[in-house]
Amino acid sequence: NPDLQYNIGVISMEQGNLEEARKAYKRAIEINPGYVNAQLNLSTTYVNEGNGLIDEMNTLGNSRADIARYEELKTMKDDMFKEGATVLEDALKLNPDNQGILSQLKNIYGALGDNENFMRIKKLLGE
């Protein structure tokens, strides 16, 4: 039942258990490949994890160790955002006109500084 898996994902996400949420959302998508809400939430788990890294990045100072840690966290954050974008790019293949998918993709590409994809998605949104 994809709805049951989706709801398990929502509860897991609310509890901060992103790995369990991802498993549930992926199961929902396996059962129903066009399950837009599961796709959006799966992407959100990656974005939320990336945002958590930003919080740590903002606490760092200017020491050599802090700068190295900042770069490490930035790479990890970008990887999380890219994973979220990949989920939505796959979702877009089945739902090419879904405004929720397009809007979330635009935000991710904007945060990544990926201007080419940002502008591509803006065009698809009619902006």
Side-chain angles (χ1 to χ4, degrees):
N1 182 334
D3 293 328
L4 177 61
Q5 294 301 319
Y6 173 79
N7 289 329
I8 290 170
V10 169
I11 292 167
S12 297
M13 202 159 112
E14 287 174 355
Q15 294 175 341
N17 188 344
L18 297 180
E19 284 304 315
E20 194 61 38
R22 287 180 188 137
K23 286 181 198 172
Y25 292 137
K26 286 176 182 177
R27 283 193 297 260
I29 294 165
E30 284 173 17
I31 297 165
N32 177 2
Y35 202 144
V36 172
N37 287 337
Q39 294 161 327
L40 286 167
N41 282 9
L42 176 59
S43 173
T44 298
T45 65
Y46 294 107
V47 171
N48 287 351
E49 188 171 343
N51 285 335
L53 296 173
I54 291 171
D55 293 340
E56 184 180 342
M57 290 164 65
N58 290 336
T59 66
L60 297 170
N62 292 323
S63 72
R64 182 172 288 156
D66 282 352
I67 292 169
R69 178 69 178 149
Y70 181 91
E71 291 302 320
E72 177 185 345
L73 291 170
K74 182 180 182 310
T75 298
M76 291 166 54
K77 183 252 323 164
D78 287 351
D79 288 346
M80 289 283 111
F81 282 15
K82 288 174 186 172
E83 187 66 33
T86 298
V87 169
L88 295 179
E89 289 286 359
D90 289 343
L92 202 56
K93 293 172 187 167
L94 295 174
N95 302 286
D97 298 321
N98 186 285
Q99 297 296 298
I101 293 171
L102 290 168
S103 293
Q104 194 161 322
L105 258 177
K106 182 183 85 168
N107 292 338
I108 292 171
Y109 287 135
L112 283 169
D114 182 342
N115 197 51
E116 181 180 332
N117 279 314
F118 179 80
M119 296 308 290
R120 176 178 60 87
I121 299 300
K122 273 188 75 151
K123 186 176 179 182
L124 291 173
L125 280 165
E127 296 178 0

